[in-house]
Amino acid sequence: MDFELTDDQKSIQRAVADLAATFDDEYWSERDEKHEFPWDFYKAFADAGWIGITTPEEFGGSGLGILEASLLLEEVAASGAGMNGASSMHLSIFGMHPVIKHGSDALRQSTLPRIVDGSLHVCFGVTEPNAGLDTTRITTFAKRNGSGDYVVNGRKVWISKALESEKVLLLTRTTKLEDVDKKTDGMTLFLTDLDRDKVDIRPIPKMGRKAVDSNELFIDGLEVPEEHRVGEEGKGFKYILDGLNPERILVAVEALGIGRAALRRAVNYGKERVVFGRPIGANQGLQFPLADALARLDAATLMVRKAAWLYDQGLPCAREANMAKYLCADAGFQAADRAVQVHGGMGYASEYHVERYFREARLTRIAPISQEMILNYLGEHVLGLPRSY
């Protein structure tokens, strides 16, 4: 494995950084404060072709790998856009993989080109209030009607971009948990219209990443045509597993990007802020924590690069993807926390932006999987210890 990026990959980094730089910290602070989706930012990246970076060329995309997508999203986050910028597009970049791999030709042709050009927004409906990370216990149910189509009833939570989305990639049960031999059986995946007459969308007030909404969905009698089903009935859980490792890799690099943005601001402040006749960055009490943050970010970068490379080679990467998410989330949050500390009282002020980085970096230690659940995975599946939960 060669850790040196190719010339094309370096070109991706430069081009994305240049485009992202046209949306400065003030832009993102305003979007965050007003809870406004960054439409012009999203359109700029769609018009430049970046939304389709991993979509196959036959559907208008670039057909590149998760490594290239990770370079894109890291640069977006590092520009100061943070999770607000990255979350506006990362589902479009990797979330449609189950449809690409398992969807019908008609479903792919009707949706993927519109994802690439930015005209179609899709949210991902998996998580439920009473199931949490135990996806096998979801209760949202799709029942066949007399015509062979489905009617869906249930509730979803923490659904990003539902307010902006036309469609939802929706995981349901088509067989109740008590009626299956294996608890992962009996779940079915659909890509269908988000009919506002049948789905009540309620935004969740939250700590950060306020430009991209998170919502509860109350689904009451949503009619879903059979042709909107992704793959076979009852195989939906298997299909969503295809996207778990890429999601962890991409959230990992978003955490890295936030950490690097925070570190950049902390270093600049350390050079510029003079107290007792000298720049505060000359004090080892501030310099050492920032140097330590740099070392941790660089070390975490190596792990996430390896995870992305393994995935793109078609090799097992669950161990590396989970480790990457764990290490990058911690490194990014630590860098953001230290940036706030270096700024002192001004770090608590919105005008210096590091408090926004801090709030968004904190999210990466919870979503899409908590740090503790990653340790559970490593303990059981890598170290071979008894299951702890």
Side-chain angles (χ1 to χ4, degrees):
M1 177 181 176
D2 185 359
F3 282 98
E4 180 66 21
L5 298 178
T6 66
D7 289 341
D8 286 345
Q9 290 165 345
K10 291 176 183 178
S11 294
I12 289 172
Q13 286 182 311
R14 289 192 296 270
V16 171
D18 288 345
L19 180 56
T22 63
F23 300 88
D24 61 14
D25 276 302
E26 299 302 330
Y27 171 87
W28 290 109
S29 287
E30 185 176 355
R31 299 287 82 70
D32 193 65
E33 182 180 351
K34 294 183 176 180
H35 299 199
E36 291 179 352
F37 188 81
W39 288 111
D40 45 353
F41 169 84
Y42 191 92
K43 185 178 186 304
F45 272 80
D47 289 348
W50 294 117
I51 305 298
I53 191 169
T54 62
T55 303
E57 294 181 66
E58 63 185 293
F59 302 110
S62 301
L64 298 177
I66 288 297
L67 178 54
E68 286 77 17
S70 72
L71 298 174
L72 161 64
L73 288 170
E74 183 178 352
E75 289 298 330
V76 166
S79 73
M83 292 301 290
N84 275 321
S87 295
S88 74
M89 67 174 71
H90 69 198
L91 180 61
S92 299
I93 288 174
F94 79 89
M96 296 297 287
H97 186 68
V99 178
I100 292 171
K101 190 171 181 180
H102 304 287
S104 66
D105 287 340
L107 195 60
R108 291 185 290 173
Q109 291 289 353
S110 65
T111 57
L112 296 178
R114 292 187 58 209
I115 292 283
V116 171
D117 69 23
S119 63
L120 176 61
H121 288 253
V122 178
C123 59
F124 197 23
V126 174
T127 306
E128 296 188 7
N130 295 323
L133 286 171
D134 189 357
T135 305
T136 63
R137 294 191 176 276
I138 65 169
T139 57
T140 295
F141 201 83
K143 184 177 181 180
R144 290 271 192 174
N145 60 21
S147 65
D149 295 328
Y150 298 85
V151 178
V152 179
N153 292 280
R155 182 182 174 194
K156 297 292 182 179
V157 71
W158 292 114
I159 310 306
S160 297
K161 285 181 61 176
L163 292 176
E164 293 79 24
S165 292
E166 177 184 333
K167 293 183 180 291
V168 57
L169 190 59
L170 183 65
L171 186 68
T172 73
R173 275 213 166 270
T174 42
T175 304
K176 292 182 179 179
L177 179 61
E178 57 266 29
D179 295 331
V180 295
D181 295 328
K182 188 178 179 182
K183 64 182 183 178
T184 54
D185 290 340
M187 285 182 274
T188 301
L189 187 64
F190 299 94
L191 177 59
T192 194
D193 298 330
L194 194 57
D195 183 351
R196 270 34 178 204
D197 292 332
K198 302 295 183 180
V199 182
D200 182 17
I201 303 173
R202 302 181 189 177
I204 301 170
K206 54 185 178 172
M207 176 181 179
R209 205 202 68 174
K210 296 179 181 181
V212 179
D213 51 87
S214 301
N215 306 276
E216 290 184 277
L217 305 186
F218 296 83
I219 306 169
D220 185 10
L222 178 66
E223 298 177 357
V224 179
E226 184 178 27
E227 56 265 28
H228 289 184
R229 191 182 70 216
V230 178
E232 298 179 46
E233 182 172 304
K235 299 290 183 65
F237 184 82
K238 176 184 175 182
Y239 299 154
I240 66 166
L241 289 180
D242 290 335
L244 292 185
N245 288 328
E247 182 180 34
R248 288 168 194 183
I249 291 168
L250 296 180
V251 171
V253 297
E254 290 161 16
L256 280 181
I258 296 171
R260 295 198 187 281
L263 184 59
R264 180 177 65 246
R265 278 200 168 267
V267 168
N268 288 339
Y269 192 77
K271 293 176 180 178
E272 297 166 0
R273 174 64 170 158
V274 175
V275 178
F276 300 120
R278 55 188 278 161
I280 61 173
N283 298 314
Q284 291 180 347
L286 296 183
Q287 191 174 117
F288 285 3
L290 296 183
D292 180 71
L294 173 65
R296 293 176 187 275
L297 288 168
D298 282 1
T301 298
L302 296 179
M303 178 56 73
V304 77
R305 293 281 190 271
K306 180 179 181 182
W309 181 84
L310 288 170
Y311 181 86
D312 287 340
Q313 300 303 311
L315 299 171
C317 67
R319 171 179 179 163
E320 290 79 7
N322 277 282
M323 285 183 175
K325 193 272 177 185
Y326 181 85
L327 294 171
C328 291
D330 271 2
F333 177 73
Q334 183 186 62
D337 181 58
R338 287 174 171 175
V340 172
Q341 195 71 18
V342 165
H343 282 74
M346 300 314 295
Y348 215 66
S350 298
E351 67 177 293
Y352 284 85
H353 303 289
V354 289
E355 61 84 24
R356 176 169 55 86
Y357 300 160
F358 176 88
R359 289 186 283 114
E360 296 191 6
R362 188 64 183 84
L363 174 61
T364 67
R365 302 185 74 241
I366 301 170
I369 182 174
S370 70
Q371 301 295 82
E372 291 77 16
M373 285 302 294
I374 288 178
L375 294 178
N376 281 332
Y377 175 87
L378 297 175
E380 179 183 355
H381 296 283
V382 178
L383 296 177
L385 294 169
R387 185 179 177 89
S388 61
Y389 62 98

